[in-house]
Amino acid sequence: MTTYREFHRRSLADRDAFWRAEAALVDWHEPYAQVLDYSKPPFARWFVGGRTNLCHNAVDRHLADRAAQPALVYLSTETGEERTYTYADLHAEVNRMAAVLASLGVARGDRVLIYMPMIAEAAFAMLACARIGAIHSVVFGGFAAASLATRIDDARPRAMVTSDAGMRGGKAVPYKHLVDEALRLARHPPAKVLIVDRGLDRAMARTPGRDVDYASERARHLDARVPCAWLESSEPSYILYTSGTTGKPKGVQRDTGGYLVALASSMRRIFCLDPGDTMFTTSDIGWVVGHSYIVYGPLINGTTTIMYEGLPIRPDPGIWWRIVAERKVRTMFSSPTAIRVLKKQDPAFMKGHDLSSLAYLFLAGEPLDEPTARWAADALGVAIVDNYWQTETGWPILSAQPGVEETPRKFGSPSFPVYGYDVRLVSEASGADVGSDEKGVLMIAPPLPPGCMTTVWGDDERFVDTYFSTFRDRLLYATFDWATRDRDDYYFVLGRTDDVINVAGHRLGTREIEEAVQAHSGVAEVAVVGVADPVKGQVPVAFAVLKDPSKVATPAGMAAMRKEVMDTVDRELGAIARPGAVHFVTLLPKTRSGKLLRRSIQALAEGRDPGDLTTIEDPAALEQIRAALGAN
């Protein structure tokens, strides 16, 4: 075993030799000719010329040694359903799904949009796309029709995979009517919609000629055998949309070979899992954690992965710990928000289960506060590993790496840069590196390591402008997060530098929410800010200017308008983006040049000093914000 510092040093000093060794963890149909092509900064191409396939590495290559081992365990506390798929079972199901997609005209390079609840067929669809060389784009099931339509028009999928409904809190959440509305709104709708009918929405409408029943098609392709498409390493594997500071989501484009190697490596070096171990990741496949550490990472590693549909407190707050005990989970991956929710429950629910199999609990998605980390460590008696990364990177940027070296951990810190990442803390004002205990913007000196985004889908210019243009004279990737580094080189992430907020680990652009609020015909102008919340990390709070202020002149009118605004956001973006509060004012704080003073509004909402206000156009605007906050 080497030390962490030496391992990280080698990953930067001799990238070719380092990543050549990590690439030996996966199967290559054709060997690569070059480890890294960085001839067009900041665009990096990894394992150039090599041909491989994500599905082959996640499924087929394990058939010789572990065909009978559980690969995917699907558990739903919503329906009471439990299904275990061995690697042989998974291979059969993925071949069936691949054959169905091919029969719908999906071919290599085509996009398939997946809008699904947390059911096994969602994983089959992702793996089937990878198998045939199609590019999947999974959209979180909590997004509304208008958001779905935006993503459809950007990806232009040939087909879509959906379900009649999901389940949450014991109630059916219909999906299909949202799909129908999204396809009505979209300029470039797919020709075919494949529907997994769970029998949850009896009123589901079907469009003849477009909508296809999965169960019927699966029965037609029960014995299908679909060959893997051998993709050149840099060919896209998927698109995953993430919020930004504009209203238009960015399609993060991921490659094939680099992502494959990064995940295979991280399963051993970071998450400490061997083939045959079990991993339980509590995310959703609509987010990057679900892509990397529910579906692809564990399966590539020959690990059993658990896919869970349900809440952490239903049927009782011991459900996750029961799963850990019954399934002998070794590594669990969740979010600080989920642990803060469980922290409020009776500890008896946790202590009633044998958690001796659990070695690590990884937490990511938002800054992990020290009290929550300490509580989890004491209550569970396992190692708590805070890690920090983004949709854009696909795997951790900062984390302890116990598979390399067991280093001491500090509560509240995601420890050190992960191997392959040349992390810098940079002064926003001067562009120079900052010293210990100084606040800076967390940046990464390119080339980005394998597994990170290769560009923005269909928009190389946006990739460069968004992520690499913070400083004129330094080419650095911007994470848009503030951080500090202490004298022991441990990093502490402080929060966003831009107008993106983090709600329960999910990134939402304030502009997106503002546009959703302004879809209400009575709203003239709005500012949305992220306000600190003890459970969710942040919640969006809206300050709206109405075209007719008399509508909120009475308490009843104000309550009715608040409900209308929130219903509009639900309809336009989805309940995930619903503001925690809506306040009404007659003007918003702006500079004389017209720029919204969001940071000042946020500071007031959090009870902090609003800062330098010398450029404000009308000080009365801030007084209105104060008054609105004080009145509620």
Side-chain angles (χ1 to χ4, degrees):
M1 292 289 285
T2 186
T3 65
Y4 155 74
R5 289 184 188 279
E6 172 57 21
F7 200 71
H8 186 264
R9 187 199 66 78
R10 268 195 294 127
S11 75
L12 301 183
D14 192 352
R15 285 187 172 91
D16 278 19
F18 181 89
W19 286 109
R20 189 175 291 114
E22 298 304 292
L25 291 169
V26 304
D27 279 1
W28 296 91
H29 185 67
E30 291 180 20
Y32 49 87
Q34 186 180 0
V35 174
L36 170 64
D37 174 4
Y38 192 53
S39 58
K40 289 176 58 181
F43 299 92
R45 296 174 65 224
W46 288 95
F47 310 110
V48 181
R51 292 192 176 273
T52 188
N53 183 280
L54 279 172
C55 183
H56 166 82
N57 275 278
V59 183
D60 299 56
R61 72 169 176 151
H62 301 303
L63 296 178
D65 297 326
R66 53 190 71 252
Q69 178 200 305
L72 175 68
V73 176
Y74 166 64
L75 303 170
S76 174
T77 51
E78 299 289 351
T79 63
E81 191 175 2
E82 294 190 10
R83 279 184 276 157
T84 297
Y85 299 89
T86 64
Y87 274 95
D89 296 333
L90 184 59
H91 181 257
E93 292 293 352
V94 170
N95 271 277
R96 290 162 188 154
M97 180 69 82
V100 172
L101 290 175
S103 75
L104 299 181
V106 176
R108 179 172 176 161
D110 288 338
R111 276 76 63 205
V112 175
L113 196 137
I114 299 171
Y115 184 70
M116 294 278 274
M118 283 291 286
I119 56 176
E121 288 82 0
F124 301 162
M126 293 170 71
L127 290 161
C129 288
R131 187 172 197 84
I132 62 178
I135 301 165
H136 64 66
S137 182
V138 183
V139 176
F140 173 60
F143 280 119
S147 296
L148 186 54
T150 300
R151 288 152 175 81
I152 289 169
D153 283 335
D154 194 65
R156 299 195 179 193
R158 181 171 292 275
M160 190 167 174
V161 185
T162 190
S163 178
D164 61 331
M167 289 279 287
R168 186 171 178 83
K171 296 178 181 176
V173 181
Y175 277 39
K176 180 57 168 47
H177 75 290
L178 294 172
V179 170
D180 291 340
E181 176 64 9
L183 297 186
R184 187 188 67 78
L185 295 171
R187 297 187 307 276
H188 305 285
K192 297 292 182 180
V193 177
L194 184 63
I195 303 165
V196 178
D197 188 353
R198 307 175 72 190
L200 298 175
D201 182 7
R202 301 294 183 192
M204 178 178 67
R206 296 176 188 264
T207 301
R210 185 196 72 187
D211 295 350
V212 180
D213 180 65
Y214 175 65
S216 303
E217 291 300 304
R218 177 182 177 275
R220 289 181 52 225
H221 295 91
L222 270 182
D223 300 318
R225 288 292 179 268
V226 178
C228 290
W230 299 109
L231 305 186
E232 198 278 330
S233 180
S234 298
E235 288 186 64
S237 56
Y238 68 76
I239 306 163
L240 185 57
Y241 288 92
T242 187
S243 293
T245 53
T246 69
K248 182 185 176 185
K250 301 184 293 288
V252 167
Q253 181 176 315
R254 194 86 65 213
D255 71 358
T256 296
Y259 186 55
L260 170 62
V261 172
L263 292 187
S265 176
S266 68
M267 289 297 292
R268 307 288 182 93
R269 316 294 185 202
I270 300 175
F271 297 99
C272 293
L273 284 152
D274 290 326
D277 286 341
T278 299
M279 184 174 194
F280 177 26
T281 298
T282 68
S283 184
D284 186 287
I285 51 125
W287 309 114
V288 70
V289 174
H291 281 56
S292 293
Y293 297 112
I294 294 176
V295 180
Y296 289 115
L299 295 174
I300 288 165
N301 194 52
T303 293
T304 302
T305 185
I306 294 174
M307 189 172 183
Y308 174 71
E309 180 186 43
L311 301 174
I313 55 173
R314 191 176 182 275
D316 62 60
I319 180 58
W320 283 2
W321 314 121
R322 191 186 85 202
I323 291 170
V324 168
E326 290 179 352
R327 302 289 172 169
K328 300 291 187 286
V329 172
R330 174 173 168 77
T331 294
M332 187 173 173
F333 193 155
S334 193
S335 69
T337 293
I339 299 304
R340 284 192 284 265
V341 168
L342 291 172
K343 183 180 169 187
K344 294 180 169 183
Q345 312 301 320
D346 186 337
F349 286 112
M350 182 184 294
K351 303 203 180 296
H353 300 284
D354 177 7
L355 305 182
S356 59
S357 66
L358 191 63
Y360 297 98
L361 172 60
F362 284 79
L363 296 172
E366 69 220 72
L368 174 61
D369 56 289
E370 183 176 342
T372 298
R374 193 176 294 280
W375 174 84
D378 292 344
L380 289 169
V382 301
I384 306 299
V385 185
D386 183 1
N387 60 118
Y388 161 84
W389 46 299
Q390 302 177 315
T391 302
E392 289 87 344
T393 65
W395 64 300
I397 300 170
L398 300 173
S399 180
Q401 293 139 72
V404 178
E405 181 191 6
E406 271 287 6
T407 50
R409 287 179 285 279
K410 295 185 180 184
F411 290 123
S413 168
S415 294
F416 312 116
V418 168
Y419 54 92
Y421 289 96
D422 188 357
V423 174
R424 311 290 177 88
L425 279 184
V426 180
S427 164
E428 188 179 45
S430 69
D433 289 0
V434 302
S436 297
D437 299 318
E438 290 185 69
K439 179 176 163 183
V441 184
L442 192 69
M443 314 286 280
I444 302 166
L448 297 178
C452 293
M453 71 184 296
T454 51
T455 189
V456 170
W457 172 254
D459 200 340
D460 287 351
E461 186 178 348
R462 190 178 184 193
F463 174 64
V464 177
D465 288 348
T466 300
Y467 296 104
F468 291 92
S469 301
T470 303
F471 303 109
R472 186 176 300 174
D473 55 349
R474 290 189 78 181
L475 189 67
L476 294 170
Y477 169 90
T479 66
F480 303 105
D481 276 304
W482 294 110
T484 60
R485 182 183 59 248
D486 71 13
R487 295 181 188 278
D488 299 322
D489 290 332
Y490 285 78
Y491 283 74
F492 296 81
V493 178
L494 307 176
R496 300 291 292 181
T497 66
D498 63 3
D499 295 320
V500 172
I501 62 178
N502 202 323
V503 182
H506 308 317
R507 277 168 54 183
L508 299 168
T510 54
R511 282 279 296 278
E512 284 179 276
I513 304 174
E514 286 169 356
E515 287 179 9
V517 171
Q518 285 195 276
H520 187 291
S521 59
V523 174
E525 200 175 6
V526 64
V528 171
V529 296
V531 177
D533 180 83
V535 174
K536 294 184 176 182
Q538 286 183 299
V539 293
V541 172
F543 296 85
V545 176
L546 298 180
K547 293 174 183 175
D548 180 1
S550 69
K551 297 240 182 217
V552 292
T554 65
M558 190 173 290
M561 182 59 73
R562 277 202 182 105
K563 184 177 185 305
E564 286 182 26
V565 168
M566 289 188 180
D567 287 348
T568 303
V569 174
D570 284 2
R571 186 177 64 251
E572 292 293 315
L573 257 184
I576 189 171
R578 183 188 300 158
V582 178
H583 303 289
F584 299 105
V585 293
T586 59
L587 72 164
L588 294 170
K590 295 178 184 175
T591 64
R592 294 184 192 96
S593 61
K595 183 182 176 183
L596 267 173
L597 289 167
R598 281 198 184 84
R599 289 188 190 179
S600 297
I601 298 171
Q602 181 190 45
L604 287 178
E606 293 180 344
R608 296 184 284 109
D609 185 331
D612 181 12
L613 299 173
T614 54
T615 63
I616 193 168
E617 182 181 35
D618 187 345
L622 271 188
E623 292 308 313
Q624 281 205 33
I625 299 287
R626 278 196 182 95
L629 289 164
N632 290 275

